């Protein structure tokens, strides 16, 4: 995707976000207990300015990138997708069933194994298992034992 | 000059020595783990201090605070993930320098700055705590509002690549800061019925999402065998005398900025580091090098955020007003030991209060020596190839987010923010602007609302106070200087293409 198109898309999303905030802000009370400024004051100003700046930025982008065609490069996009999916799955399973160390081991194993494209299969497996165990032990000793974080 | 009459034998005990050493080591670890920070570290250590003497207890907690602020920069430099919110500015130049194969040098600039900033903060604490506390109480809501605006102007101006996008980033941060319950009225804003959002968006989740999760996605874009450090000599935490001379003015100026900002309750090390970074960039002969591993870009925030620790202890000890969440916990330690900080403490317990101040100075030296030899262990992580480092960074960061509030909703926020931040960064939006606006937004809104309440809705309150006028003058001057600098850079670009 070109830089310009991606910028326009981002500005549209951000402006929509601003629009949603502005619409929601209009439902807040204006001032409570005689106060001159209520909970809606700042959100209305910030979201209005945001929408205005998005329009300004769109014009600025149009002017600046008239001649050059820049592309947005997202390298190894499938690894990013894989990471987001496995991370979300890990958090979902941990939240739903507990068993943190089991799911953390599987999650880490998946990442270490998939990211390491370079070694032979046996080495990749050993690395992934070993590092996953080490990371789990690190979390156990540092977070659970030392810092008393309830996992 | 009462501090010179202090009996130093009160500090020359094994209890105080272990308090400093253990507090420093613990603070370094807590600060280096993304998402935890000094406040959590101090709170976790509080029960340990029950059996200690008041002097050793307070010194230990102050050591954790001091070392935690430096510890945040370890994660910023080595992993590109701010360990503490105040270490966010350090990422901008610390991480690029580390990725150029010089993590030891980056950590060297950082620890030297932290020690100098901490020492200057301690000297200010010793010599000027009473007059500065008078200044601190002169600053009221109008001044805090304007200081917040100054902070936003500073950070919006930092991103000179695309100013409209920088301003959009500031506004996004302000809006994210408004999610949750309105402090003045208790009205739920932008929670859309979610109980989890009543408390607002977690700053740790935002920080970790923006810098850790997004950074891992960036790492995935590189060759998985990439090692950022190939020469083990480059992990030693040190700078040469020549390198020190190159940044000594920045250290001094930033320490003074940090100490002053730290004195003001509510601001703290985060804004202090950004004010110092902005000033360092403005005053630099090579501002275009900032963000690419510029030494002043590491020296400034690190000196400032450690000096701010000393500054934050001024209102705590002299007025009993905690200037930050960390000092609020330290206030708890005072009360547990039956000590009430405030104006009378200098008359009633001079040995204790000056013992704390001198002990705080010694913690800066201890942090330098302990940090110098332990932080190279952290920088060895960069010898690992990217395929090992990325999952480790991601996992520790996620655990840090969870540990901050024991809430998995924060982890979901971090993931969503990470994905968004990855794309925002590619499109030249300013992530530091979002974070600082998120931090300053509530301060700005509350102080504006209180100011207008006090003045009955009239904005004259900002024009009839001397300190307010002074800050407005600084804001105006800064805007003019930024515009002139931008015009100069545009002129240079046109000249080079002609």
């Amino acid at each position: 995707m070109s830089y310009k198109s991606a910028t326009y898309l981002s500005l549209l999303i951000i402006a929509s976000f601003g629009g949603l905030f502005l619409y929601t802000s209009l439902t807040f009370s204006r001032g409570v207990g005689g106060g001159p400024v209520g909970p809606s004051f700042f959100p209305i100003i910030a979201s209005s300015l945001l929408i205005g700046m998005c329009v300004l930025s769109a014009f600025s982008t149009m002017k600046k990138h008239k001649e050059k065609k820049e592309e947005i490069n997202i390298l190894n996009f499938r690894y990013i997708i894989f990471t987001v999916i496995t991370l979300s799955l890990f958090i979902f399973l941990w939240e739903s069933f507990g068993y943190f160390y089991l799911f953390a081991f599987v999650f880490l194993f998946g990442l270490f194994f998939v990211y390491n494209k370079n070694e032979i299969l046996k080495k990749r497996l050993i690395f992934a298992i070993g590092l996953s165990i080490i990371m789990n032990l690190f979390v156990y000793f540092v977070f659970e034992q030392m810092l008393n974080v309830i996992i | 000059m009462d501090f010179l009459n202090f009996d130093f034998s009160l500090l020359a005990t094994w209890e105080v020595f272990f308090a400093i050493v253990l507090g420093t080591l613990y603070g370094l670890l807590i600060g280096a783990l993304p998402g935890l920070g000094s406040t959590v570290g101090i709170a976790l250590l509080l029960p340990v201090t029950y059996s200690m003497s008041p002097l050793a207890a307070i010194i230990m907690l102050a050591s954790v605070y001091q070392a935690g602020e430096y510890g945040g920069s370890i994660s910023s430099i080595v992993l590109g993930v701010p360990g503490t919110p105040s270490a966010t500015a350090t990422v901008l130049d610390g991480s690029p320098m580390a990725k150029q194969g010089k993590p030891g040098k980056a950590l060297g600039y950082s620890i030297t700055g932290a020690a100098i900033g901490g020492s200057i903060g301690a000297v200010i604490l010793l010599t000027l705590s009473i007059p500065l506390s008078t200044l601190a109480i002169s600053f009221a809501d109008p001044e805090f509002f304007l200081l917040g605006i100054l902070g936003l102007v500073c950070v919006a101006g930092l991103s000179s690549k695309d100013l409209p996008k920088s301003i959009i980033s500031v506004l996004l941060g302000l809006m994210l800061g408004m999610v949750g319950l309105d402090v003045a009225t208790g009205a739920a804003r932008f929670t859309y019925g979610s109980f989890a959002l009543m408390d607002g968006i977690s700053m740790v989740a935002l920080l970790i999402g923006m810098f850790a999760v997004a950074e891992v996605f960036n790492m995935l874009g590189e060759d998985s065998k990439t090692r950022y450090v190939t020469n083990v000599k480059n992990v030693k935490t040190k700078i040469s005398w020549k390198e020190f001379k190159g940044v000594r003015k920045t250290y001094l100026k930033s320490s003074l900025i940090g100490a002053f900002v730290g004195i003001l309750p509510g601001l703290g090390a985060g804004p202090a580091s950004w004010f110092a970074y902005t000033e360092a960039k403005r005053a630099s002969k090579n501002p275009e090098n900032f963000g690419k591993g510029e030494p002043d870009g590491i020296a400034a925030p690190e000196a400032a955020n450690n000096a701010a620790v000393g500054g934050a202890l001024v209102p705590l000890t002299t007025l009993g007003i905690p200037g930050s969440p960390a000092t609020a916990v330290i206030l708890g330690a005072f009360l547990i030991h039956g000590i009430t900080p405030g104006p009378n403490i200098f008359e009633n317990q001079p040995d204790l209060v000056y013992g704390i101040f001198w002990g705080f100075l010694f913690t800066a030296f201890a942090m330098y020596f302990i940090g110098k030899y332990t932080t190279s262990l952290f920088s060895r992580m960069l010898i690992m190839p990217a395929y090992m480092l990325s999952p480790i960074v991601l996992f520790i960061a996620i655990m840090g987010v969870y540990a901050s509030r024991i809430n998995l909703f924060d982890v979901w926020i971090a993931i969503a923010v990470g994905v968004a931040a990855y794309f925002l960064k590619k499109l030249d939006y300013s992530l530091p602007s979002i974070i600082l606006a998120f931090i300053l937004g509530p301060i700005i809104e509350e102080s504006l609302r209180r100011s207008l309440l006090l003045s009955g809705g009239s904005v004259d309150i900002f024009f009839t106070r001397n300190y307010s006028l002074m800050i407005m003058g600084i804001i105006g001057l800064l805007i003019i200087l930024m515009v002139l600098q931008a015009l100069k850079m545009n002129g240079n670009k046109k000249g080079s293409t002609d």
Side-chain angles (χ1 to χ4, degrees), chain A residues 9-149:
Chain A
L9 182 62
S10 69
L11 289 170
L12 184 64
I13 293 170
I14 292 170
S16 310
F17 184 61
L20 175 64
F21 261 53
L22 180 61
Y23 176 74
T24 313
S25 310
L26 293 170
T27 63
F28 300 154
S29 56
R30 294 297 169 126
V32 175
V37 169
S40 63
F41 180 73
F42 248 74
I44 289 174
I45 291 184
S47 40
S48 307
L49 280 173
L50 183 68
I51 295 167
M53 284 309 306
C54 286
V55 172
L56 200 67
S57 182
F59 281 115
S60 159
T61 304
M62 211 177 340
K63 240 174 80 177
K64 238 195 275 183
H65 298 273
K66 243 192 256 185
E67 283 137 26
K68 273 185 2 181
K69 263 209 158 190
E70 295 167 50
E71 290 290 316
I72 296 288
N73 291 317
I74 300 177
L75 300 165
N76 288 331
F77 187 59
R78 54 202 174 109
Y79 285 100
I80 295 174
I81 297 287
F82 172 76
T83 304
V84 173
I85 291 173
T86 46
L87 180 57
S88 304
L89 205 56
F90 162 54
I91 301 302
F92 173 73
L93 290 169
W94 176 18
E95 197 171 19
S96 308
F97 303 109
Y99 299 117
F100 167 78
Y101 291 105
L102 172 66
F103 293 129
F105 175 82
V106 173
F107 165 66
L108 285 167
F109 174 83
L111 291 188
F112 284 126
F113 185 79
V114 168
Y115 289 176
N116 183 6
K117 305 173 260 189
N118 309 296
E119 308 287 349
I120 54 173
L121 183 63
K122 194 175 171 187
K123 252 187 168 177
R124 280 168 76 183
L125 278 168
I126 294 169
F127 256 130
I129 291 170
L131 283 171
S132 304
I133 292 172
I134 290 170
M135 288 311 300
N136 269 330
L137 287 172
F138 174 81
V139 165
Y140 174 72
F141 283 116
V142 174
F143 285 88
E144 219 173 335
Q145 294 300 309
M146 212 175 102
L147 301 173
N148 293 320
V149 174

Side-chain angles (χ1 to χ4, degrees), chain B residues 199-244:
Chain B
D199 232 354
I201 293 175
S202 160
M203 179 169 57
V204 172
L206 201 67
L207 204 59
I208 298 293
M210 276 191 185
F211 291 95
V213 179
E215 179 62 22
V216 166
F217 295 154
N218 278 326
M219 280 189 200
L220 293 175
E222 292 159 7
D223 177 10
S224 63
K225 268 185 169 169
T226 300
R227 289 170 197 264
Y228 296 110
V229 173
T230 50
N231 188 345
V232 178
K233 282 186 196 164
N234 290 338
V235 304
K236 275 192 185 162
T237 305
K238 66 174 189 176
I239 54 173
S240 65
W241 177 245
K242 190 179 171 191
E243 285 162 344
F244 171 75

Side-chain angles (χ1 to χ4, degrees), chain A residues 3 10 24 39 76 118 146 150, chain B residues 29 189 192 220 402 428-429:
Chain A
Y3 182 90
S10 69
T24 313
N76 288 331
N118 309 296
M146 212 175 102
I150 304 161
Chain B
L29 176 66
R189 297 193 301 183
Y192 300 105
L220 293 175
Y402 173 73
D428 299 324
Y429 289 90

Side-chain angles (χ1 to χ4, degrees), chain B residues 77-425:
Chain B
I77 289 166
V78 173
L79 302 177
V81 180
T84 54
S86 56
T88 310
T90 309
V91 174
L92 300 182
D93 284 279
S95 183
M97 189 183 277
K99 287 186 176 159
Q100 286 161 19
K102 297 179 280 182
K105 202 164 288 298
L107 288 166
Y109 280 115
S110 171
I111 196 167
T112 308
I116 290 173
S119 304
I120 289 178
V123 166
I124 285 173
L125 195 57
L126 276 165
T127 54
L128 297 173
S129 40
I130 294 169
L132 285 174
S133 61
T134 314
L135 178 68
I137 53 174
S138 305
F139 272 59
D141 288 306
E143 286 76 36
F144 282 113
F145 167 71
L146 290 168
L147 280 171
I149 299 294
L150 176 62
L152 294 185
V153 167
C154 285
V155 78
L158 278 175
S159 169
S160 47
K161 233 180 174 178
D162 192 321
L163 190 58
K165 283 181 177 170
S166 198
I167 296 172
I168 287 170
S169 305
V170 167
L171 292 167
L172 266 176
L174 286 175
M175 284 166 59
L176 290 172
M178 291 180 212
V179 175
L181 293 179
D182 177 44
V183 172
T185 61
R189 297 193 301 183
F190 312 114
T191 57
Y192 300 105
S194 163
F195 281 118
L197 287 174
M198 292 276 189
D199 232 354
I201 293 175
S202 160
M203 179 169 57
V204 172
L206 201 67
L207 204 59
I208 298 293
M210 276 191 185
F211 291 95
V213 179
E215 179 62 22
V216 166
F217 295 154
N218 278 326
M219 280 189 200
L220 293 175
E222 292 159 7
D223 177 10
S224 63
K225 268 185 169 169
T226 300
R227 289 170 197 264
Y228 296 110
V229 173
T230 50
N231 188 345
V232 178
K233 282 186 196 164
N234 290 338
V235 304
K236 275 192 185 162
T237 305
K238 66 174 189 176
I239 54 173
S240 65
W241 177 245
K242 190 179 171 191
E243 285 162 344
F244 171 75
K245 274 168 56 176
V247 294
R248 66 182 192 275
K249 283 185 188 165
T250 301
Y251 280 145
L252 181 62
K253 209 177 358 172
S254 303
S255 299
L256 294 172
I257 291 172
F260 173 72
V261 175
I263 286 160
L264 303 173
L267 285 177
S273 60
W274 284 107
F275 287 144
Y277 186 88
T278 308
E279 172 53 23
K281 187 177 178 183
R282 187 205 61 75
S284 171
K285 289 177 192 157
N286 308 302
E288 67 281 358
N289 289 345
F290 276 70
K292 297 174 190 167
E294 169 63 33
D296 283 314
I298 304 170
E302 282 307 303
N305 67 23
N306 274 81
V309 173
L313 291 176
V314 169
L316 174 66
T317 45
T318 58
L319 302 169
I321 300 171
S324 61
T327 46
V329 185
I330 296 177
L331 176 62
F334 272 102
L335 298 174
I336 284 166
H337 286 93
I339 303 156
T340 310
N344 296 329
I345 200 171
F346 288 87
E347 287 169 24
N348 298 343
Q349 289 169 304
D351 280 343
L352 174 68
V353 72
Y354 288 119
I356 291 169
F357 291 176
W358 280 110
F360 185 70
L361 179 62
F362 297 144
T363 64
F365 299 134
M367 178 186 64
Y368 179 78
F369 288 107
I370 293 172
K372 196 166 153 51
Y373 295 105
T374 55
T375 52
S376 53
L377 298 171
F378 288 98
S379 58
R380 279 173 193 273
M381 285 184 76
L382 287 177
I383 294 172
M384 278 193 253
Y387 67 79
M388 281 171 66
L389 198 55
S390 324
I392 290 172
V393 169
L394 186 62
F395 190 58
I396 293 175
I398 292 300
M399 288 315 300
V401 173
Y402 173 73
S404 64
R405 295 203 303 188
I406 320 288
N407 186 348
L408 277 168
F409 183 78
D410 291 343
V411 179
W412 288 115
I413 297 276
I415 297 170
V417 166
V419 173
Y422 175 71
F423 291 106
L424 286 175
K425 196 169 176 191

Side-chain angles (χ1 to χ4, degrees), chain B residues 5-29:
Chain B
N5 300 329
F6 174 69
D7 177 11
F8 285 92
S9 64
L10 292 170
L11 286 175
T13 64
W14 285 112
E15 192 188 22
V16 170
F17 174 76
F18 281 119
I20 291 175
V21 171
L22 289 173
T24 301
L25 283 168
Y26 182 70
L28 283 173
L29 176 66

